């Protein structure tokens, strides 16, 4: 394991002798960290991820299935926080890495739009497939296959995955803050996105984001310990002041408003969460109603998306925290992969959709988190969020988005490790890096990159140098990218 660099320091820290049971269990001193830094990093990760408790209910909780059943926004919010809390704590205690886990964006959309909306499954049937997806991933992890896949990936592709994810989370931050916006279709333009509104930063929330970006940039440039946490707090205070005097409101009522949470002080702290969705799952209904072949293809799609989304994210986070070996592999990887796979089982069983490692954990890692203790802190905050929803809603996504952009810039620094003088290496790396943000999908970027890598190796006369697993995964991704026509044909 490489020597870790602690934020706010110019030189790598030398591992210290453990000072107690907590230190030894989480390897805190060994990884050059402190308890205070881990707690602070866990809090930063929570605020960077907390938007999922607001966003997941909008994706899963509002659409009826074929029987007219709607999961409900309060119910989905409760189980989203519950599963995130449980999984973060489990991953922190067992895997002992600072990788937050929650409902996967993209995976939840796949469930809501494809399985329920297009394929006509009920919510319990769709969540049943998510549980099966998780069981398959756990078995692949226990068998050692997931670890073998990690080890078979060339170093250049691991680096490209990390850089691509950095660009992806930076784009997420820019879009969430309204700095980059989709051009309305009525504009009849070939450019799909634009800067702000018609090329101008013309909204109070986006101005808050810009100020937050400047604050976070200053903190990192001056190596201020806890700078990103300070940045989130300072930007939240600014947003509260701006909302009090300017009254931007929600973007649902005003396109110039706040994207998700409106930063106002809550009138009450919350109440008892509604966990009625827990256990509302049907493991066999999809196979009976959609047919065994179609249901199996749906499971395959979930497995492939979940498998490689988590793989790319864990690779990037491990490299960012300097927790990997010289080949970009995490120690005790198998244990981490088994626990991560269980996230889909728990997410499906609770109707929150598949839970997976969150790229937003990079915010906490950038602020010093290096061990599972940070994850335990994040998990406890998610569990508290079930009871105190209004309290964390005062932090708008525009206050957390600057951290994502700064972290994206930090992860981009790895791009120099790729050998750009060899085109058979450069093209797959380039496609991996650009497809992730352009398609808003980590799995898509990995899939396109893998296919390009094997094809370019064939063209360069180096096919025998490629591990057979790379050929297998590339073939599976070809099927994955053809899932639309295949599902339509089977329907």
């Amino acid at each position: 394991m490489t020597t870790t660099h602690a934020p706010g320091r110019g030189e790598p820290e030398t591992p210290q002798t453990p000072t107690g049971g907590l230190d030894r269990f989480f390897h805190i001193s060994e990884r050059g960290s402190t308890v205070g830094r881990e707690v602070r990093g866990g809090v930063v990760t929570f605020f960077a991820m907390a938007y999922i408790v607001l966003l997941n209910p909008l994706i899963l909780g509002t659409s009826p299935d074929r029987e007219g059943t709607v999961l409900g926004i309060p119910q989905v919010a409760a189980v989203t926080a519950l599963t995130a809390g449980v999984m973060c704590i489990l991953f922190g205690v067992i895997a002992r890495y600072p990788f937050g886990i929650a409902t996967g964006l993209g995976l939840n959309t796949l469930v809501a739009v494809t399985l329920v909306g297009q394929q006509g499954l009920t919510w319990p049937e769709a969540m049943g497939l998510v549980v099966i997806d998780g069981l398959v991933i756990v078995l692949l992890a226990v068998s050692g296959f997931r670890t073998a896949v990690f080890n078979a990936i060339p170093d250049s592709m691991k680096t490209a995955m990390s850089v691509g994810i950095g660009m992806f989370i930076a784009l997420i931050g820019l879009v969430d803050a309204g700095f980059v916006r989709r051009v309305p279709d009525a504009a009849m333009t070939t450019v799909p996105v634009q800067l702000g509104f018609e090329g101008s930063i013309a909204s109070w929330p986006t101005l808050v984001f810009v100020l937050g970006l400047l604050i976070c940039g200053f903190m990192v440039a001056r190596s201020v310990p806890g700078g990103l946490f300070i940045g989130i707090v300072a930007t939240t205070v600014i947003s509260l002041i701006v909302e009090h005097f300017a009254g931007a409101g929600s973007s649902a009522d005003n396109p110039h408003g706040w994207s998700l949470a409106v930063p106002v002080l809550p009138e009450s702290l919350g109440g008892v969460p509604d966990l009625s969705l827990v256990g509302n799952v049907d493991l066999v209904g999809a196979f009976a109603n959609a047919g065994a072949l179609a249901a199996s293809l749906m499971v395959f799609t979930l497995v492939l998306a979940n498998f490689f989304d988590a793989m790319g994210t864990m690779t990037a986070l491990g490299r960012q925290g300097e927790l990997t070996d010289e080949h970009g592999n995490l120690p005790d990887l198998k244990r981490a992969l088994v626990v991560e796979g269980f996230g889909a089982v728990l997410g499906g069983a609770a109707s929150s959709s598949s839970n997976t490692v969150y790229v937003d954990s990079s915010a906490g890692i950038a602020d010093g988190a290096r061990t599972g203790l940070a994850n335990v802190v994040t998990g406890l905050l998610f569990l508290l969020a079930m009871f105190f929803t209004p309290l964390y809603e005062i932090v708008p996504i525009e206050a957390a988005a600057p951290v994502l952009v700064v972290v994206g810039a930090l992860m981009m620094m790895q791009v120099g490790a790729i050998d750009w003088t060899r085109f058979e290496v450069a093209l797959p790396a380039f496609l991996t890096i650009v497809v992730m943000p352009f398609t808003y999908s980590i799995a898509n970027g990995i899939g396109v990159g893998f296919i390009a890598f094997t094809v370019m190796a064939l063209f360069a006369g180096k096919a025998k140098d490629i591990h057979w697993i790379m050929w297998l995964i590339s073939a599976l991704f070809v099927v994955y990218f053809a899932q639309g026509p295949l599902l339509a044909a089977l329907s």
Side-chain angles (χ1 to χ4, degrees):
M1 195 160 51
T2 57
T3 303
T4 55
H5 293 260
R9 301 288 188 271
E11 299 294 332
E13 291 192 0
T14 302
Q16 305 293 318
T17 302
T19 57
L22 185 69
D23 193 336
R24 285 192 295 270
F25 183 82
F26 286 110
H27 310 290
I28 296 173
S29 296
E30 178 185 335
R31 295 180 185 174
S33 187
T34 65
V35 172
R37 189 176 296 153
E38 294 302 306
V39 172
R40 188 183 67 219
V43 174
V44 170
T45 294
F46 169 76
F47 281 113
M49 294 175 59
Y51 67 88
I52 191 60
V53 185
L54 305 175
L55 186 56
N56 197 39
L58 299 179
I59 295 173
L60 297 181
T62 58
S63 302
D65 61 17
R66 72 167 188 268
E67 295 179 351
T69 301
V70 177
L71 296 182
I73 289 179
Q75 292 83 355
V76 174
V79 295
T80 299
L82 172 66
T83 54
V86 171
M87 285 308 306
C88 283
I89 293 172
L90 283 178
F91 196 84
V93 171
I94 299 175
R96 302 178 193 177
Y97 285 117
F99 304 165
I101 294 183
T103 299
L105 281 175
L107 294 170
N108 56 0
T109 304
L110 179 62
V111 171
V113 176
T114 302
L115 302 190
V116 175
Q118 297 176 0
Q119 298 302 315
L121 300 184
T122 65
W123 285 110
E125 291 169 354
M127 294 303 171
L129 293 186
V130 173
V131 172
I132 295 172
D133 154 48
L135 293 174
V136 171
I137 290 178
V138 169
L139 289 175
L140 291 174
V142 171
S143 70
F145 181 74
R146 291 190 81 182
T147 305
V149 171
F150 266 82
N151 295 334
I153 301 172
D155 291 350
S156 63
M157 290 301 294
K158 289 176 181 175
T159 302
M161 285 156 49
S162 297
V163 175
I165 288 174
M167 292 187 64
F168 178 42
I169 62 175
L171 180 61
I172 290 174
L174 293 170
V175 171
D176 286 348
F179 194 88
V180 174
R181 295 177 183 270
R182 184 187 302 276
V183 177
D185 293 338
M188 300 298 290
T189 177
T190 57
V191 181
V193 293
Q194 64 182 355
L195 177 69
F197 287 97
E198 298 180 352
S200 299
I201 308 302
S203 71
W204 285 108
T206 305
L207 176 61
V208 169
F209 160 76
V210 172
L211 293 175
L213 184 58
L214 292 174
I215 293 171
C216 290
F218 171 81
M219 295 292 177
V220 174
R222 299 301 292 267
S223 299
V224 177
L228 295 180
F229 176 71
I230 296 172
I232 291 178
V233 173
T235 310
T236 299
V237 172
I238 293 172
S239 67
L240 286 167
I241 296 172
V242 167
E243 177 59 23
H244 177 75
F245 288 101
S250 171
S251 61
D253 306 315
N254 171 22
H256 292 73
W258 304 92
S259 295
L260 288 175
V262 177
V264 294
L265 294 176
E267 296 180 0
S268 62
L269 292 181
V272 179
D274 183 347
L275 300 176
S276 59
L277 293 178
V278 175
N280 188 22
V281 61
D282 184 350
L283 295 176
V284 299
F287 293 88
N289 291 313
L293 191 57
S296 298
L297 185 57
M298 295 177 203
V299 172
F300 168 80
T301 301
L302 288 169
V303 168
L304 210 61
N306 209 339
F307 188 109
F308 287 99
D309 192 300
M311 185 186 72
T313 302
M314 291 176 69
T315 298
L317 296 177
R319 281 175 171 259
Q320 181 196 359
E322 298 185 340
L323 301 170
T324 58
D325 60 23
E326 64 274 16
H327 299 295
N329 297 321
L330 285 166
D332 298 321
L333 178 61
K334 182 176 180 179
R335 182 168 56 187
L337 293 173
V338 171
V339 180
E340 189 280 332
F342 182 69
V345 179
L346 183 62
S351 295
S352 69
S353 184
S354 179
N355 279 228
T356 187
V357 173
Y358 248 60
V359 70
D360 306 79
S361 309
S362 56
I365 293 173
D367 213 41
R370 292 295 181 272
T371 78
L373 179 58
N375 243 45
V376 172
V377 173
T378 302
L380 290 175
L381 290 174
F382 267 117
L383 294 180
L384 286 174
M386 291 192 300
F387 301 90
F388 299 101
T389 301
L391 191 60
Y392 71 83
E393 281 185 347
I394 68 173
V395 182
I397 192 65
E398 289 83 356
V403 175
L404 301 182
V405 176
V406 169
V407 170
L410 294 173
M411 295 176 72
M412 186 70 188
M413 295 167 67
Q414 302 178 41
V415 75
I418 300 172
D419 186 358
W420 296 102
T421 63
R422 296 170 53 199
F423 191 70
E424 70 273 17
V425 171
L427 180 61
F430 173 76
L431 290 174
T432 300
I433 291 170
V434 299
V435 170
M436 283 188 192
F438 288 171
T439 67
Y440 242 61
S441 169
I442 293 172
N444 285 350
I446 294 174
V448 171
F450 276 28
I451 294 171
F453 190 89
T454 53
V455 171
M456 291 305 296
L458 182 64
F459 290 168
K462 300 179 180 179
K464 293 183 179 179
D465 297 336
I466 306 302
H467 198 288
W468 67 267
I469 289 180
M470 287 292 290
W471 290 104
L472 172 63
I473 299 303
S474 297
L476 291 175
F477 265 115
V478 170
V479 177
Y480 173 76
F481 289 131
Q483 61 180 292
L486 290 174
L487 284 172
L490 291 173
S491 297

